[in-house]
Amino acid sequence: MIDSSAKNILATRRILFVDDEFDVRRVVQTCLEKIAHWTVIVAESGEEGLQKARTEHPDAIILDVMMPEMDGYQFLKLLLAQTETRSIPVVLLTAKADSLDVKQYEALGIKGLIGKPFNPLTLHREIATCLNWVL
């Protein structure tokens, strides 16, 4: 059983979710805030996500791979190039899970991969597992 101080730490988690699809952003934000009680900061583009990563200092980033203008890999390379953001753990949430090269995402420091479609009721557990967070 988790004591109340550990629950308070988990409830203060701040997640940056970067995805270009409005409906997906809304579902993920609602689920993570209502079920896990995490604070979710959303960004609809890679550029906005990088800016929010620098200013909001999230505990983790959940990232879509397939986005217009700046895809997830471009985002990761820029994130890793910045001293203030390179240590933020990243989990990919993508429909392209089957086509991703495991070595490629491990080389980029990705902590985990969750495929779309996902189960909104268990998404928080999948993210916590990828990040080695105890629920």
Side-chain angles (χ1 to χ4, degrees):
M1 175 163 257
I2 298 175
D3 66 28
S4 61
S5 62
K7 285 183 181 180
N8 289 338
I9 290 170
L10 288 172
T12 61
R13 298 287 190 185
R14 294 169 36 86
I15 305 292
L16 172 59
F17 180 52
V18 185
D19 195 302
D20 62 309
E21 294 181 46
F22 174 79
D23 290 336
V24 175
R25 287 194 312 272
R26 193 171 80 191
V27 167
V28 169
Q29 181 176 21
T30 300
C31 291
L32 296 182
E33 287 180 347
K34 299 290 183 195
I35 297 170
H37 306 288
W38 295 339
T39 299
V40 179
I41 305 147
V42 295
E44 63 184 68
S45 69
E47 186 63 40
E48 181 183 3
L50 287 171
Q51 186 270 329
K52 287 186 175 183
R54 286 190 298 269
T55 59
E56 299 288 338
H57 310 289
D59 296 306
I61 297 172
I62 310 305
L63 177 66
D64 184 24
V65 174
M66 301 303 295
M67 295 185 292
E69 297 169 28
M70 179 189 302
D71 68 18
Y73 294 114
Q74 292 167 318
F75 176 93
L76 282 166
K77 288 176 185 172
L78 292 170
L79 186 81
L80 293 171
Q82 299 175 30
T83 305
E84 67 268 26
T85 59
R86 76 171 49 129
S87 64
I88 303 170
V90 176
V91 174
L92 298 182
L93 181 67
T94 181
K96 297 285 188 179
D98 293 340
S99 66
L100 292 176
D101 179 1
V102 173
K103 290 180 184 174
Q104 182 180 17
Y105 79 78
E106 285 177 350
L108 292 170
I110 308 248
K111 298 298 181 191
L113 182 66
I114 300 170
K116 289 180 184 176
F118 56 88
N119 181 338
L121 299 176
T122 61
L123 180 62
H124 69 291
R125 281 190 239 132
E126 291 182 70
I127 293 169
T129 298
C130 291
L131 297 169
N132 292 318
W133 291 352
V134 177
L135 290 180

